[in-house]
Amino acid sequence: MITKFRTINNLAVFQNFNWDAALRDEGNNVILFKAINIIYGRNYSGKTTLSRIVRALETGNISDKYENPQFEVSIQGIGDSTPNNLTAHGKKIRVFNEDFVKDNLRFIANSDESITPFAIIGGNVGIEGEIQILKNELGINDEGSEIGFYLEFKNATAIAKTVFQTYQAENNQLDQQLTAKALDRTSGIKYKPDRFGDQNYTKTKLLADIEHVSDLSFQPLSDDEVTRKVSLLNEKPIADIPGITRPVLDIHSLNLKAKNLITKSISNSNKIEQLLKDAILNRWVKEGRQIHKDQLQECSFCGNGISQARWSELDSHFDGESDKLEKEMGNLIGEIEIIIQTVESLLHINKNIFYSKFHRDLERLEALKQKVTIQIKAELVRVKEGLQERKDDLLNSKTFIDIVNTSKRLQWCWGIFERLRIEANNYTKSLGSEQAEARRLLRLREVSDFASTVQFASVMARIKTLKDKSETEDQNKKAIEDKINLQISKITDKERLMKDEEKGALKVNEYLNNFFGHDFLTLQALEETDKKIKFEIVRNRKKAHHLSEGECSLIAFCYFMAKLDDVETKGSKPIIWIDDPISSLDSNHIFFVYSLINAEILAKEEFEQIFISTHNLDFLKYLKRLPSALNKNQSNYFLISREKEQSRIRIMPRYLKDYVTEFNFLFHQIYMCSTADADDEGQHSLFYNFGNNTRKFLEAFLYYKYPNANDQIEKLTKFFGDNRQASTMTDRINNELSHLEGLFERSMTPIDIPEMKKASAFILDKIREKDSDQYEALLLSIGVENSGA
């Protein structure tokens, strides 16, 4: 449905016309076209220009005589049509105007030309029945009332739409999650290159990574590994790590020395038996001997003198051999203590000078070194204690257990350290590639976590299921659409068999005869030698020439009306524009044009929207009688007026729209005067115009009521009867208040409003008294239903 001419510029009499600015109601709402649109305008006001715009939407072209024409035609649910997209609207449009006549009825301008033929359906009852069956199966495609195949298609379309929307929602949600994970400025992988390494990361790369981590062989980094990889990314190149002296412990020699000293025997000859048996006593005596020898002659303990013989016994017991052994053991104990202290400082490992990558191995190595060190120290302490025990019991040999030598393990730890040191020094060269690999693995862990969080595999499976279902429903919809197109093709093929150009001519003749009574002027379909059909106008069985303007108008309009039944138009409910169809027609024919429009278009409701323009007030009067023409929800009235060189469209004034004749308008003015508030300044125009309105109304009213009366006074006397006061007052108002000639002094005094209200009431009461039926009808004609007013 066309809603408005949004703009028209540089097109004949329309310049810079803007609909929204020109057509607004009292509430400032934009007024739009409706289903039925009546347009009035005088000749040359621009009616045909508007019809040419709409015809351009029908034919796809506009006259090249216009220089750079510009217009926008708003169509409901589609958008605006302009000179750049004239037929994009897809609507079926049919326009009757002078261009239609020139294009299709060339005979009117040149009698040597013919009339463009058209075909309508008819002629074979059997085929007609087959067509009807096909149409019944096809159904109706009216929105909200679909049946048949169209209902199937509507339902299939709804199902396909619902399924597609579900699929699209799932797919869009996942797509948004993927996009955010890849490209979000806060959390996206692309914007974390320090951790994930790819500044050009995209959603496509994310999908590739998801495919990689979805492989069963893929193992993501553990949390500990993630921590180490993150630490690795923080690494900076470090200086080469210096080597550590290889730890050397001669445990074997130490073992032999200790074994020899601990197990060495001392001769018992010349030994004091009692001291041999008591090591503590032996040690006590030895220490006492050292204190007293060459210093004291008496025992400090008991006070007795020490004889020379006793000194000889003691010297023999504590001889040089035992002193030597004791000294050697003391030396070896000191050596062992030094070794124990040395072991603690051997192979000092500082992991902080290494890359974090090596920390874990270094920690294990440190633990192993500590274990070996503890073992070595334990053995050394055991040997030391054995030596001390033998030293304390010097005269008695002891059993010796060989040292468990784990010093080689310490050297093995050193070897591991050296290997790690060399690797660390070499690692500086490969740090960049190692960090790149760390970022890759961290990214894959991140992707793996993301895929798990959004349940990527499950969602993708669900999306695939929905997509397959959507494609299936689309195929079902397409199948039904193909079925509809096939059915339409079958109907078209059948209708092609029914095409009959002669039927078109007969339809024109039917309108000419039935509506206008012109049986002497007919249209005939003639077959030429090339089998083509042409139409000719025939009068008395001969080709007609010299048609009157009225005959041309009748034939042209009947041709247009019949063409609405042609095979291209019938059943399509087109938008119809009829531009001034009553040119050069008398009043009878004007009525018949109205009757034809009413019977063949409005009554049958075979249209989506109709526009009828006219310059003729009589035709306008008839148009107001069309079905729904006065229904404000279905119809609208417009006026085209020309001011100098420009035209504009506006809403039709009430005096044209609401009144069938001027007589009704004048009656309404008198009625409003009788009910108006005398103190309301807004009603002043009613009283000011009362004299002229009353005079014109009574002239018409009394003429038809008393056609035999001689003058106006006589008519007033007959109408008002014995009420001479009323007739005299009315005559005075008619004469004095509707004329100033000879009564110039009256223009210097204010009008007598109470007198006018009284006169209007007299007139209305007398009409009701004389002819109540007419009075009721007059009230209804002005929209007043209560006759008691």
Side-chain angles (χ1 to χ4, degrees), residues 75-116:
I75 301 178
Q76 187 176 20
I78 296 175
D80 292 346
S81 291
T82 69
N84 298 323
N85 63 341
L86 289 173
T87 58
H89 52 79
K91 294 284 186 179
K92 189 75 73 175
I93 298 176
R94 294 293 180 261
V95 176
F96 175 80
N97 64 2
E98 63 180 41
D99 294 337
F100 171 85
V101 175
K102 289 177 183 177
D103 291 344
N104 293 278
L105 294 97
R106 294 184 295 274
F107 171 85
I108 290 176
N110 183 356
S111 60
D112 293 330
E113 294 282 354
S114 61
I115 297 175
T116 303

Side-chain angles (χ1 to χ4, degrees), residues 8 11 77 103 176 331 333 407 494 531 552 570 615 675 742:
I8 309 174
L11 192 61
D103 291 344
Q176 290 171 1
N331 290 339
I333 288 172
S407 61
K494 295 287 184 183
K531 300 296 182 180
C552 290
K570 186 174 178 61
H615 74 285
T675 60

Side-chain angles (χ1 to χ4, degrees), residues 404-420:
V404 177
N405 188 2
T406 57
S407 61
K408 290 185 178 180
R409 292 186 180 182
L410 194 61
Q411 293 185 8
W412 179 61
C413 289
W414 176 84
I416 294 174
F417 175 83
E418 278 297 294
R419 176 176 59 80
L420 294 175

Side-chain angles (χ1 to χ4, degrees), residues 573-574 576 597-609 627-628 634:
K573 288 196 172 185
I576 301 172
I597 293 173
N598 185 20
E600 296 300 308
I601 299 178
L602 274 295
K604 294 181 179 180
E605 297 183 351
E606 289 292 332
F607 66 96
E608 177 184 348
Q609 188 178 24
S628 301
Q634 298 185 37

Side-chain angles (χ1 to χ4, degrees), residues 288-335:
R289 174 175 173 267
Q290 292 174 345
I291 294 171
H292 289 77
K293 188 172 178 64
D294 299 329
Q295 294 183 29
L296 299 173
Q297 297 296 321
E298 294 178 352
C299 175
S300 298
F301 179 73
C302 64
N304 296 323
I306 303 173
S307 64
Q308 188 60 40
R310 191 58 179 172
W311 280 113
S312 295
E313 289 176 357
L314 290 173
D315 289 340
S316 297
H317 182 80
F318 298 106
D319 56 9
E321 182 181 8
S322 60
D323 287 342
K324 179 181 178 183
L325 178 60
E326 182 180 17
K327 184 178 181 180
E328 287 178 351
M329 284 192 290
N331 290 339
L332 187 55
I333 288 172
E335 184 180 342

Side-chain angles (χ1 to χ4, degrees), residues 439-451:
R439 291 187 178 97
R440 186 185 76 86
L441 294 176
L442 287 169
R443 187 181 73 245
L444 292 178
R445 164 64 189 268
E446 184 77 6
V447 171
S448 178
D449 290 347
F450 167 76

